Amino acid sequence: QVQLVESGGGLVQPGGSLSLSCAASGSISNAITMGWYRQTPGRERELVATITNNGSTNYADSVKGRFTISRDIVKNTVYLQMNSLKPEDTAVYYCNGKFPFWTTTTQYWGQGTQVTVSS
């Protein structure tokens, strides 16, 4: 089983920046897709950003132009650089990884890290 551990969450003011890290025990080079999701109480977990095996990225409309997902194969870590943060970005952010499993795929989730954007 792949272990994913997020870090970097905290309290920031609107307009500020924060960088999240997701350290993986398994090799992210084997992942079909790595991504970040977020969730607030009473709402479903939503996609923030993903990066595919070939490096293609995808972002939720709400974060396009502000967030950047990246990966470091050597460090086996996925990052989410968040700029121009808004109060609406407040949520628990989860790292996700989609990996091959026999002839199908399986997904892994981190424990989450809290991001709070407030004055």
Side-chain angles (χ1 to χ4, degrees):
Q1 179 175 276
V2 174
Q3 298 288 331
L4 303 175
V5 181
E6 304 96 332
S7 63
L11 174 64
V12 295
Q13 295 187 341
S17 298
L18 201 62
S19 182
L20 304 182
S21 298
C22 172
S25 63
S27 177
I28 62 173
S29 66
N30 294 327
I32 298 170
T33 304
M34 295 297 297
W36 289 93
Y37 292 72
R38 65 188 182 187
Q39 186 171 29
T40 57
R43 290 200 270 176
E44 292 186 355
R45 191 169 299 183
E46 64 177 354
L47 169 73
V48 175
T50 59
I51 183 166
T52 64
N53 181 261
N54 66 2
S56 297
T57 57
N58 182 54
Y59 299 91
D61 289 340
S62 60
V63 307
K64 286 182 179 177
R66 300 188 298 121
F67 291 10
T68 302
I69 187 171
S70 62
R71 61 185 179 181
D72 187 325
I73 301 299
V74 175
K75 294 183 181 295
N76 210 34
T77 302
V78 178
Y79 304 93
L80 183 68
Q81 178 63 48
M82 305 183 292
N83 300 321
S84 302
L85 284 163
K86 305 174 181 180
E88 307 92 89
D89 295 318
T90 296
V92 176
Y93 284 70
Y94 296 90
C95 182
N96 168 267
K98 185 178 181 180
F99 291 79
F101 185 74
W102 291 98
T103 59
T104 185
T105 62
T106 190
Q107 294 195 57
Y108 300 93
W109 295 92
Q111 82 290 343
T113 185
Q114 177 71 46
V115 172
T116 302
V117 184
S118 176
S119 297

